Amino acid sequence: MTDIEKYYLQLCQEVTSRQLANEEGDTQEQTFTRLFLDLLSEAGETENTTVAYDEKDFGTKKTHKINGYAISDNYETVDLFITIYRPEEEIPVIYKKDIDQAVTRITNFFRKATYNNYEDDVAESSPIFEFAHTLGSYQELKDNLVRVNAFILTNGEYKGEIPQSISLNGNKIFYRILDINYLFQISEASHVPIEIDFDEEKAVVPCLPASTDNEEYQAYVAIIPGTCLANLYERFGSRLLEQNVRSFLQFNGKINKGIRETIKTEPHMFFAYNNGLAATADHIELDESGHFISRINNLQIVNGGQTTASIYYTQKKDKADISSIYVQMKISVIKKQEQFNEIVSRISRYANTQNKVNDADFTANNQALIEFEKLSRYILTPLSSDSPLQTYWFFERARGQYKTLRQKEGFTKSRQDAFDKKYPKGQVLTKTDIAKYINAYEEVYEGKKLVIGPHIVARGNEKNYARFINNNLPETLKKINNVYFEDTIAKAILFKTADKRYGTKASAVHIGELKNVTVPYTIALLTKITDGELDLYKIWKAQQLSPALSDFIFDLMVQVNEFIIKNSVGSHYIEWAKKEECWNMVKEHTFAYDLAQIKDDLIDSSNPPVRRVSGEDQSGNGTYEHEIGIIRSIPPSLWNKIADWGQSSGFLAIHYQSAARDTAHKLKYNHLITETDRKRAMAIYEIVCQNNIELLDEADELAERDREAREALEAKKEKKRQESGVQADDITLDLIKEMVDWDRRKRNLEDWKWKVMNDVVTGKKPLTDTYKYTFWLNLQFLRKKGFPK
């Protein structure tokens, strides 16, 4: 049995097991589609994929079919996917007639959607409605679309010709056939090498070897015509840029606009103005003269993606003449394949000078992710009555790690069953998974700019992951500890539970068709309305949500789903939800909920969970204690002054101004500083240190003022208590309990006043003289409302 035959059998088994475990109600064909699209996304072939099946007019010439789609963020590319899946014992043979039929059906769909307002024939609840409506009437897409890719996905083998591209409604459709051989290659090798024969391309590419020759690489300098570069980009798309550190940034930066302007107005000067490309390859073959490239294998542009895409899109969108454009290309032929990724990463980092690229963009060996991976290999889930078996949450930093480890455990059914119990498939996390769960949970600001929010999650795995890497990974490795891991798993459980409760068409309850939007929006809203006080440690320990919290989230999702649809600017709900404006409207709206329903799921400020960091100094010198010490060393009045400074200077966003004042209040009244409080306060402290550290010089003086003011207030309270004639013995625990029980039904007292009394009754707080006086005031109020005492 060949390697590809073994792979085919494993693939069929994987599709069957996924389909049985899937809660989306997928067929095997759609399960295969979902698996294939995940691999294509990871390989850089596409982005923002959505699995959505639609087939109409079956058996007629108008038959159309689609299994999935993708729209690029700049609306310049649309990918269509149609699947031919045949679960046979041996690799099925795909014939030309099968391909022709698929081409006709996917083309019919595109024609109907763009010409005939097909969305009018589709129910709004259908998963294809949003896409059909976007194709038919979304003006931004019509203005920017320059390329349509039609992918025919199959588990069979096809050896025939590739269908010729066609023009339809002013758009060129390029057809590609991705069969079992292609699937095997991207699954095992991450990408399919690009092989170019410049003789067939009818392109003349002058090239000279550089004098540098060593064991690691051979250097060449070439001049590539702009027309040839544009043709290569049209043919291979993002595959040409797989090793590039970022996607095409559109024409929104100065460099891109400059490139575009030069192409349009001074194409003959392009070579002089442009820095050129940096590329890598496995092999270069020169012609007999040794001065021109004949063939090149595995060509990858590692720096110059914007130049390449800008030439292509300016030619397509602006009809620019690029015949006089030539681009310098430095090519490094990597000799040691085991060092390929490392060398390419370094070339990308050092060659990149046009636009700022953060070090975090180079994620292949991101140290934070490596640390997270290590934690996932030794941290077991807690034992409980509901979870008598300890398991692992497996973080798959590199694709294929889970499958490789499972195979190492053995091929017998008993050994693999044992592995599956220890590492359940439902507890496998990818990089894009944790990015989604973490980014959905809480907003992140940089200054006044909101860089992380649920609208970012709604933009798709690729864009959300980029924001996560650049804006939401801890800056120091010390923070990638067991507490961070446990909280991340809790966020995963939270998200996955919400996702399941939202439902699908196959489930008994189904909220709607905006799951990918409503779930992250609701999670972020939950964090906001609970002020970040959700007890993640409780979720980690239970490995599930309480029924009350699960129901609370469901009720909130119903409202959020309806709100987004009702308030959408136009009927493009998903596109609308990708905008910050949509999230701002959601978080400013007042939804119907009662936090009392989930009070047991929130952190008890009087008895917060004790978290111990593995390996951290527990003697009082740890990072946590140090930071709490810093926060408490700044007096309440100075925290208020910091808030005022942040507002007037613009260095603090509104939520940080509020957090500074909240910190002042908690310090003033000796309330608990929660984990969320600590993180926000330290973030504010860092901003002050960077921009106005002199402000902290006032700490000692203001602390003395605060102490004097506090003593004066206590003296005033004591004087009032004495004048009121209230004696300590007048307010007893029995009386307080009667007040609590009576007002539990009547609900006359403000929630916080009732809660303080209840905390005293249940032993969470001591009954001090100050509390006795406060409770005496509560007693006078309740007597007016009918309290019998």
Side-chain angles (χ1 to χ4, degrees), residues 253-284:
K254 292 182 180 179
I255 297 298
N256 300 60
K257 289 179 180 179
I259 293 174
R260 185 181 190 183
E261 193 62 28
T262 299
I263 295 170
K264 290 169 63 178
T265 62
E266 297 181 281
H268 60 287
M269 295 299 296
F270 191 89
F271 187 86
Y273 294 163
N274 189 263
N275 289 334
L277 315 177
T280 60
D282 288 342
H283 176 71
I284 281 184

PDB file of all heavy atoms in Angstrom, residues 253-284:
ATOM      1  N   GLY A 253      -1.692  52.488   2.883  1.00  0.00           N
ATOM      2  CA  GLY A 253      -0.479  53.015   3.493  1.00  0.00           C
ATOM      3  C   GLY A 253       0.255  53.893   2.502  1.00  0.00           C
ATOM      4  O   GLY A 253       0.023  53.830   1.307  1.00  0.00           O
ATOM      5  N   LYS A 254       1.173  54.723   3.020  1.00  0.00           N
ATOM      6  CA  LYS A 254       1.899  55.635   2.127  1.00  0.00           C
ATOM      7  C   LYS A 254       2.698  54.884   1.072  1.00  0.00           C
ATOM      8  O   LYS A 254       2.770  55.284  -0.071  1.00  0.00           O
ATOM      9  CB  LYS A 254       2.823  56.524   2.962  1.00  0.00           C
ATOM     10  CG  LYS A 254       2.079  57.515   3.844  1.00  0.00           C
ATOM     11  CD  LYS A 254       3.061  58.389   4.606  1.00  0.00           C
ATOM     12  CE  LYS A 254       2.316  59.382   5.478  1.00  0.00           C
ATOM     13  NZ  LYS A 254       3.253  60.227   6.259  1.00  0.00           N
ATOM     14  N   ILE A 255       3.317  53.760   1.487  1.00  0.00           N
ATOM     15  CA  ILE A 255       4.128  53.008   0.543  1.00  0.00           C
ATOM     16  C   ILE A 255       3.256  52.473  -0.585  1.00  0.00           C
ATOM     17  O   ILE A 255       3.579  52.615  -1.760  1.00  0.00           O
ATOM     18  CB  ILE A 255       4.857  51.853   1.253  1.00  0.00           C
ATOM     19  CG1 ILE A 255       5.828  52.414   2.301  1.00  0.00           C
ATOM     20  CG2 ILE A 255       5.609  50.986   0.249  1.00  0.00           C
ATOM     21  CD1 ILE A 255       6.919  53.297   1.714  1.00  0.00           C
ATOM     22  N   ASN A 256       2.107  51.895  -0.240  1.00  0.00           N
ATOM     23  CA  ASN A 256       1.240  51.324  -1.267  1.00  0.00           C
ATOM     24  C   ASN A 256       0.721  52.388  -2.222  1.00  0.00           C
ATOM     25  O   ASN A 256       0.647  52.182  -3.431  1.00  0.00           O
ATOM     26  CB  ASN A 256       0.061  50.605  -0.606  1.00  0.00           C
ATOM     27  CG  ASN A 256       0.520  49.486   0.290  1.00  0.00           C
ATOM     28  OD1 ASN A 256       1.245  49.737   1.245  1.00  0.00           O
ATOM     29  ND2 ASN A 256       0.126  48.278  -0.017  1.00  0.00           N
ATOM     30  N   LYS A 257       0.327  53.536  -1.684  1.00  0.00           N
ATOM     31  CA  LYS A 257      -0.178  54.610  -2.541  1.00  0.00           C
ATOM     32  C   LYS A 257       0.926  55.124  -3.457  1.00  0.00           C
ATOM     33  O   LYS A 257       0.678  55.466  -4.616  1.00  0.00           O
ATOM     34  CB  LYS A 257      -0.731  55.753  -1.675  1.00  0.00           C
ATOM     35  CG  LYS A 257      -2.027  55.399  -0.959  1.00  0.00           C
ATOM     36  CD  LYS A 257      -2.507  56.559  -0.099  1.00  0.00           C
ATOM     37  CE  LYS A 257      -3.807  56.199   0.615  1.00  0.00           C
ATOM     38  NZ  LYS A 257      -4.269  57.304   1.482  1.00  0.00           N
ATOM     39  N   GLY A 258       2.148  55.151  -2.896  1.00  0.00           N
ATOM     40  CA  GLY A 258       3.268  55.599  -3.716  1.00  0.00           C
ATOM     41  C   GLY A 258       3.551  54.635  -4.849  1.00  0.00           C
ATOM     42  O   GLY A 258       3.808  55.049  -5.985  1.00  0.00           O
ATOM     43  N   ILE A 259       3.495  53.345  -4.555  1.00  0.00           N
ATOM     44  CA  ILE A 259       3.699  52.329  -5.598  1.00  0.00           C
ATOM     45  C   ILE A 259       2.645  52.483  -6.686  1.00  0.00           C
ATOM     46  O   ILE A 259       2.951  52.494  -7.885  1.00  0.00           O
ATOM     47  CB  ILE A 259       3.630  50.906  -4.990  1.00  0.00           C
ATOM     48  CG1 ILE A 259       4.810  50.668  -4.052  1.00  0.00           C
ATOM     49  CG2 ILE A 259       3.619  49.851  -6.093  1.00  0.00           C
ATOM     50  CD1 ILE A 259       4.736  49.356  -3.298  1.00  0.00           C
ATOM     51  N   ARG A 260       1.418  52.645  -6.266  1.00  0.00           N
ATOM     52  CA  ARG A 260       0.312  52.754  -7.230  1.00  0.00           C
ATOM     53  C   ARG A 260       0.473  53.997  -8.111  1.00  0.00           C
ATOM     54  O   ARG A 260       0.266  53.938  -9.328  1.00  0.00           O
ATOM     55  CB  ARG A 260      -1.008  52.820  -6.451  1.00  0.00           C
ATOM     56  CG  ARG A 260      -2.238  52.806  -7.336  1.00  0.00           C
ATOM     57  CD  ARG A 260      -3.476  52.903  -6.478  1.00  0.00           C
ATOM     58  NE  ARG A 260      -4.683  52.674  -7.234  1.00  0.00           N
ATOM     59  CZ  ARG A 260      -5.909  52.766  -6.719  1.00  0.00           C
ATOM     60  NH1 ARG A 260      -6.064  53.059  -5.447  1.00  0.00           N
ATOM     61  NH2 ARG A 260      -6.963  52.542  -7.470  1.00  0.00           N
ATOM     62  N   GLU A 261       0.856  55.096  -7.473  1.00  0.00           N
ATOM     63  CA  GLU A 261       0.994  56.347  -8.230  1.00  0.00           C
ATOM     64  C   GLU A 261       2.137  56.250  -9.243  1.00  0.00           C
ATOM     65  O   GLU A 261       2.029  56.734 -10.378  1.00  0.00           O
ATOM     66  CB  GLU A 261       1.229  57.512  -7.261  1.00  0.00           C
ATOM     67  CG  GLU A 261       1.081  58.880  -7.889  1.00  0.00           C
ATOM     68  CD  GLU A 261      -0.328  59.123  -8.426  1.00  0.00           C
ATOM     69  OE1 GLU A 261      -1.295  58.521  -7.884  1.00  0.00           O
ATOM     70  OE2 GLU A 261      -0.459  59.893  -9.396  1.00  0.00           O
ATOM     71  N   THR A 262       3.234  55.620  -8.838  1.00  0.00           N
ATOM     72  CA  THR A 262       4.363  55.453  -9.757  1.00  0.00           C
ATOM     73  C   THR A 262       3.970  54.588 -10.955  1.00  0.00           C
ATOM     74  O   THR A 262       4.310  54.896 -12.105  1.00  0.00           O
ATOM     75  CB  THR A 262       5.562  54.812  -9.026  1.00  0.00           C
ATOM     76  OG1 THR A 262       5.964  55.665  -7.957  1.00  0.00           O
ATOM     77  CG2 THR A 262       6.731  54.614  -9.983  1.00  0.00           C
ATOM     78  N   ILE A 263       3.236  53.512 -10.695  1.00  0.00           N
ATOM     79  CA  ILE A 263       2.799  52.620 -11.773  1.00  0.00           C
ATOM     80  C   ILE A 263       1.932  53.374 -12.773  1.00  0.00           C
ATOM     81  O   ILE A 263       2.058  53.201 -13.996  1.00  0.00           O
ATOM     82  CB  ILE A 263       2.030  51.416 -11.200  1.00  0.00           C
ATOM     83  CG1 ILE A 263       2.961  50.543 -10.349  1.00  0.00           C
ATOM     84  CG2 ILE A 263       1.419  50.564 -12.318  1.00  0.00           C
ATOM     85  CD1 ILE A 263       2.236  49.481  -9.547  1.00  0.00           C
ATOM     86  N   LYS A 264       1.076  54.251 -12.275  1.00  0.00           N
ATOM     87  CA  LYS A 264       0.122  54.950 -13.144  1.00  0.00           C
ATOM     88  C   LYS A 264       0.764  56.111 -13.902  1.00  0.00           C
ATOM     89  O   LYS A 264       0.442  56.347 -15.074  1.00  0.00           O
ATOM     90  CB  LYS A 264      -1.052  55.469 -12.301  1.00  0.00           C
ATOM     91  CG  LYS A 264      -1.965  54.368 -11.763  1.00  0.00           C
ATOM     92  CD  LYS A 264      -2.938  54.879 -10.719  1.00  0.00           C
ATOM     93  CE  LYS A 264      -3.879  55.899 -11.290  1.00  0.00           C
ATOM     94  NZ  LYS A 264      -4.853  56.374 -10.284  1.00  0.00           N
ATOM     95  N   THR A 265       1.672  56.833 -13.237  1.00  0.00           N
ATOM     96  CA  THR A 265       2.170  58.083 -13.838  1.00  0.00           C
ATOM     97  C   THR A 265       3.616  58.032 -14.321  1.00  0.00           C
ATOM     98  O   THR A 265       3.988  58.749 -15.241  1.00  0.00           O
ATOM     99  CB  THR A 265       2.023  59.242 -12.832  1.00  0.00           C
ATOM    100  OG1 THR A 265       2.824  58.962 -11.675  1.00  0.00           O
ATOM    101  CG2 THR A 265       0.565  59.422 -12.406  1.00  0.00           C
ATOM    102  N   GLU A 266       4.440  57.204 -13.676  1.00  0.00           N
ATOM    103  CA  GLU A 266       5.851  57.129 -14.067  1.00  0.00           C
ATOM    104  C   GLU A 266       6.337  55.681 -14.106  1.00  0.00           C
ATOM    105  O   GLU A 266       7.285  55.307 -13.414  1.00  0.00           O
ATOM    106  CB  GLU A 266       6.721  57.913 -13.085  1.00  0.00           C
ATOM    107  CG  GLU A 266       6.470  59.399 -13.014  1.00  0.00           C
ATOM    108  CD  GLU A 266       7.405  60.075 -12.027  1.00  0.00           C
ATOM    109  OE1 GLU A 266       7.133  59.996 -10.811  1.00  0.00           O
ATOM    110  OE2 GLU A 266       8.420  60.643 -12.469  1.00  0.00           O
ATOM    111  N   PRO A 267       5.711  54.844 -14.881  1.00  0.00           N
ATOM    112  CA  PRO A 267       6.106  53.423 -14.872  1.00  0.00           C
ATOM    113  C   PRO A 267       7.565  53.202 -15.247  1.00  0.00           C
ATOM    114  O   PRO A 267       8.194  52.255 -14.754  1.00  0.00           O
ATOM    115  CB  PRO A 267       5.151  52.794 -15.893  1.00  0.00           C
ATOM    116  CG  PRO A 267       4.708  53.917 -16.763  1.00  0.00           C
ATOM    117  CD  PRO A 267       4.641  55.108 -15.861  1.00  0.00           C
ATOM    118  N   HIS A 268       8.112  54.074 -16.093  1.00  0.00           N
ATOM    119  CA  HIS A 268       9.497  53.912 -16.517  1.00  0.00           C
ATOM    120  C   HIS A 268      10.484  54.170 -15.379  1.00  0.00           C
ATOM    121  O   HIS A 268      11.660  53.796 -15.458  1.00  0.00           O
ATOM    122  CB  HIS A 268       9.806  54.862 -17.684  1.00  0.00           C
ATOM    123  CG  HIS A 268       9.621  56.306 -17.340  1.00  0.00           C
ATOM    124  ND1 HIS A 268       8.371  56.874 -17.177  1.00  0.00           N
ATOM    125  CD2 HIS A 268      10.539  57.294 -17.098  1.00  0.00           C
ATOM    126  CE1 HIS A 268       8.526  58.158 -16.863  1.00  0.00           C
ATOM    127  NE2 HIS A 268       9.827  58.429 -16.809  1.00  0.00           N
ATOM    128  N   MET A 269      10.007  54.843 -14.299  1.00  0.00           N
ATOM    129  CA  MET A 269      10.882  55.138 -13.165  1.00  0.00           C
ATOM    130  C   MET A 269      10.721  54.108 -12.029  1.00  0.00           C
ATOM    131  O   MET A 269      11.355  54.231 -10.977  1.00  0.00           O
ATOM    132  CB  MET A 269      10.567  56.533 -12.607  1.00  0.00           C
ATOM    133  CG  MET A 269      10.864  57.662 -13.578  1.00  0.00           C
ATOM    134  SD  MET A 269      12.624  57.727 -14.026  1.00  0.00           S
ATOM    135  CE  MET A 269      13.370  58.115 -12.449  1.00  0.00           C
ATOM    136  N   PHE A 270       9.881  53.111 -12.253  1.00  0.00           N
ATOM    137  CA  PHE A 270       9.570  52.158 -11.178  1.00  0.00           C
ATOM    138  C   PHE A 270      10.832  51.458 -10.670  1.00  0.00           C
ATOM    139  O   PHE A 270      11.038  51.302  -9.463  1.00  0.00           O
ATOM    140  CB  PHE A 270       8.559  51.124 -11.669  1.00  0.00           C
ATOM    141  CG  PHE A 270       7.980  50.272 -10.570  1.00  0.00           C
ATOM    142  CD1 PHE A 270       6.841  50.682  -9.889  1.00  0.00           C
ATOM    143  CD2 PHE A 270       8.581  49.080 -10.194  1.00  0.00           C
ATOM    144  CE1 PHE A 270       6.316  49.910  -8.867  1.00  0.00           C
ATOM    145  CE2 PHE A 270       8.063  48.306  -9.173  1.00  0.00           C
ATOM    146  CZ  PHE A 270       6.930  48.729  -8.511  1.00  0.00           C
ATOM    147  N   PHE A 271      11.674  51.028 -11.585  1.00  0.00           N
ATOM    148  CA  PHE A 271      12.887  50.313 -11.207  1.00  0.00           C
ATOM    149  C   PHE A 271      13.778  51.174 -10.308  1.00  0.00           C
ATOM    150  O   PHE A 271      14.388  50.679  -9.352  1.00  0.00           O
ATOM    151  CB  PHE A 271      13.662  49.887 -12.471  1.00  0.00           C
ATOM    152  CG  PHE A 271      14.833  48.993 -12.185  1.00  0.00           C
ATOM    153  CD1 PHE A 271      14.670  47.627 -12.079  1.00  0.00           C
ATOM    154  CD2 PHE A 271      16.105  49.525 -12.005  1.00  0.00           C
ATOM    155  CE1 PHE A 271      15.748  46.795 -11.816  1.00  0.00           C
ATOM    156  CE2 PHE A 271      17.190  48.710 -11.742  1.00  0.00           C
ATOM    157  CZ  PHE A 271      17.007  47.329 -11.648  1.00  0.00           C
ATOM    158  N   ALA A 272      13.834  52.466 -10.588  1.00  0.00           N
ATOM    159  CA  ALA A 272      14.694  53.372  -9.806  1.00  0.00           C
ATOM    160  C   ALA A 272      14.126  53.629  -8.419  1.00  0.00           C
ATOM    161  O   ALA A 272      14.876  53.763  -7.445  1.00  0.00           O
ATOM    162  CB  ALA A 272      14.863  54.693 -10.559  1.00  0.00           C
ATOM    163  N   TYR A 273      12.791  53.718  -8.335  1.00  0.00           N
ATOM    164  CA  TYR A 273      12.162  54.091  -7.061  1.00  0.00           C
ATOM    165  C   TYR A 273      11.959  52.911  -6.111  1.00  0.00           C
ATOM    166  O   TYR A 273      11.931  53.084  -4.889  1.00  0.00           O
ATOM    167  CB  TYR A 273      10.792  54.726  -7.318  1.00  0.00           C
ATOM    168  CG  TYR A 273      10.833  56.055  -8.038  1.00  0.00           C
ATOM    169  CD1 TYR A 273       9.691  56.576  -8.644  1.00  0.00           C
ATOM    170  CD2 TYR A 273      12.008  56.807  -8.115  1.00  0.00           C
ATOM    171  CE1 TYR A 273       9.713  57.795  -9.305  1.00  0.00           C
ATOM    172  CE2 TYR A 273      12.040  58.025  -8.773  1.00  0.00           C
ATOM    173  CZ  TYR A 273      10.884  58.507  -9.373  1.00  0.00           C
ATOM    174  OH  TYR A 273      10.916  59.718 -10.030  1.00  0.00           O
ATOM    175  N   ASN A 274      11.784  51.709  -6.679  1.00  0.00           N
ATOM    176  CA  ASN A 274      11.372  50.565  -5.863  1.00  0.00           C
ATOM    177  C   ASN A 274      12.566  49.758  -5.367  1.00  0.00           C
ATOM    178  O   ASN A 274      13.551  49.590  -6.091  1.00  0.00           O
ATOM    179  CB  ASN A 274      10.432  49.659  -6.680  1.00  0.00           C
ATOM    180  CG  ASN A 274       9.790  48.584  -5.822  1.00  0.00           C
ATOM    181  OD1 ASN A 274      10.265  47.468  -5.777  1.00  0.00           O
ATOM    182  ND2 ASN A 274       8.701  48.928  -5.156  1.00  0.00           N
ATOM    183  N   ASN A 275      12.465  49.267  -4.139  1.00  0.00           N
ATOM    184  CA  ASN A 275      13.559  48.488  -3.556  1.00  0.00           C
ATOM    185  C   ASN A 275      13.648  47.069  -4.098  1.00  0.00           C
ATOM    186  O   ASN A 275      14.623  46.366  -3.843  1.00  0.00           O
ATOM    187  CB  ASN A 275      13.411  48.410  -2.032  1.00  0.00           C
ATOM    188  CG  ASN A 275      13.706  49.735  -1.374  1.00  0.00           C
ATOM    189  OD1 ASN A 275      14.450  50.551  -1.909  1.00  0.00           O
ATOM    190  ND2 ASN A 275      13.102  49.967  -0.209  1.00  0.00           N
ATOM    191  N   GLY A 276      12.603  46.602  -4.794  1.00  0.00           N
ATOM    192  CA  GLY A 276      12.634  45.275  -5.380  1.00  0.00           C
ATOM    193  C   GLY A 276      12.118  44.195  -4.452  1.00  0.00           C
ATOM    194  O   GLY A 276      11.531  44.468  -3.401  1.00  0.00           O
ATOM    195  N   LEU A 277      12.354  42.936  -4.847  1.00  0.00           N
ATOM    196  CA  LEU A 277      11.840  41.787  -4.131  1.00  0.00           C
ATOM    197  C   LEU A 277      12.975  40.974  -3.522  1.00  0.00           C
ATOM    198  O   LEU A 277      14.087  40.954  -4.041  1.00  0.00           O
ATOM    199  CB  LEU A 277      11.056  40.862  -5.072  1.00  0.00           C
ATOM    200  CG  LEU A 277      10.056  41.485  -6.045  1.00  0.00           C
ATOM    201  CD1 LEU A 277       9.459  40.389  -6.927  1.00  0.00           C
ATOM    202  CD2 LEU A 277       8.957  42.232  -5.312  1.00  0.00           C
ATOM    203  N   ALA A 278      12.661  40.288  -2.430  1.00  0.00           N
ATOM    204  CA  ALA A 278      13.559  39.267  -1.880  1.00  0.00           C
ATOM    205  C   ALA A 278      12.804  37.953  -1.960  1.00  0.00           C
ATOM    206  O   ALA A 278      11.659  37.853  -1.503  1.00  0.00           O
ATOM    207  CB  ALA A 278      13.934  39.584  -0.434  1.00  0.00           C
ATOM    208  N   ALA A 279      13.410  36.957  -2.600  1.00  0.00           N
ATOM    209  CA  ALA A 279      12.718  35.688  -2.829  1.00  0.00           C
ATOM    210  C   ALA A 279      13.628  34.523  -2.449  1.00  0.00           C
ATOM    211  O   ALA A 279      14.858  34.671  -2.331  1.00  0.00           O
ATOM    212  CB  ALA A 279      12.296  35.574  -4.287  1.00  0.00           C
ATOM    213  N   THR A 280      13.007  33.361  -2.248  1.00  0.00           N
ATOM    214  CA  THR A 280      13.759  32.140  -1.995  1.00  0.00           C
ATOM    215  C   THR A 280      13.318  31.082  -2.995  1.00  0.00           C
ATOM    216  O   THR A 280      12.249  31.178  -3.599  1.00  0.00           O
ATOM    217  CB  THR A 280      13.518  31.609  -0.567  1.00  0.00           C
ATOM    218  OG1 THR A 280      12.129  31.332  -0.404  1.00  0.00           O
ATOM    219  CG2 THR A 280      13.973  32.611   0.476  1.00  0.00           C
ATOM    220  N   ALA A 281      14.150  30.062  -3.172  1.00  0.00           N
ATOM    221  CA  ALA A 281      13.833  28.960  -4.082  1.00  0.00           C
ATOM    222  C   ALA A 281      14.630  27.738  -3.671  1.00  0.00           C
ATOM    223  O   ALA A 281      15.596  27.823  -2.896  1.00  0.00           O
ATOM    224  CB  ALA A 281      14.160  29.354  -5.525  1.00  0.00           C
ATOM    225  N   ASP A 282      14.190  26.571  -4.182  1.00  0.00           N
ATOM    226  CA  ASP A 282      14.940  25.336  -3.957  1.00  0.00           C
ATOM    227  C   ASP A 282      16.017  25.139  -5.024  1.00  0.00           C
ATOM    228  O   ASP A 282      17.081  24.582  -4.753  1.00  0.00           O
ATOM    229  CB  ASP A 282      13.991  24.131  -3.983  1.00  0.00           C
ATOM    230  CG  ASP A 282      13.110  24.087  -2.755  1.00  0.00           C
ATOM    231  OD1 ASP A 282      13.436  24.753  -1.759  1.00  0.00           O
ATOM    232  OD2 ASP A 282      12.078  23.381  -2.800  1.00  0.00           O
ATOM    233  N   HIS A 283      15.683  25.596  -6.241  1.00  0.00           N
ATOM    234  CA  HIS A 283      16.606  25.335  -7.352  1.00  0.00           C
ATOM    235  C   HIS A 283      16.365  26.345  -8.469  1.00  0.00           C
ATOM    236  O   HIS A 283      15.229  26.718  -8.750  1.00  0.00           O
ATOM    237  CB  HIS A 283      16.390  23.915  -7.888  1.00  0.00           C
ATOM    238  CG  HIS A 283      17.216  23.582  -9.099  1.00  0.00           C
ATOM    239  ND1 HIS A 283      18.576  23.399  -9.034  1.00  0.00           N
ATOM    240  CD2 HIS A 283      16.863  23.436 -10.407  1.00  0.00           C
ATOM    241  CE1 HIS A 283      19.032  23.133 -10.245  1.00  0.00           C
ATOM    242  NE2 HIS A 283      18.023  23.147 -11.092  1.00  0.00           N
ATOM    243  N   ILE A 284      17.452  26.798  -9.096  1.00  0.00           N
ATOM    244  CA  ILE A 284      17.367  27.677 -10.262  1.00  0.00           C
ATOM    245  C   ILE A 284      18.142  27.029 -11.415  1.00  0.00           C
ATOM    246  O   ILE A 284      19.256  26.523 -11.214  1.00  0.00           O
ATOM    247  CB  ILE A 284      17.938  29.076  -9.961  1.00  0.00           C
ATOM    248  CG1 ILE A 284      16.933  29.913  -9.186  1.00  0.00           C
ATOM    249  CG2 ILE A 284      18.299  29.812 -11.251  1.00  0.00           C
ATOM    250  CD1 ILE A 284      17.387  31.338  -8.928  1.00  0.00           C
TER     251      ILE A 284
END
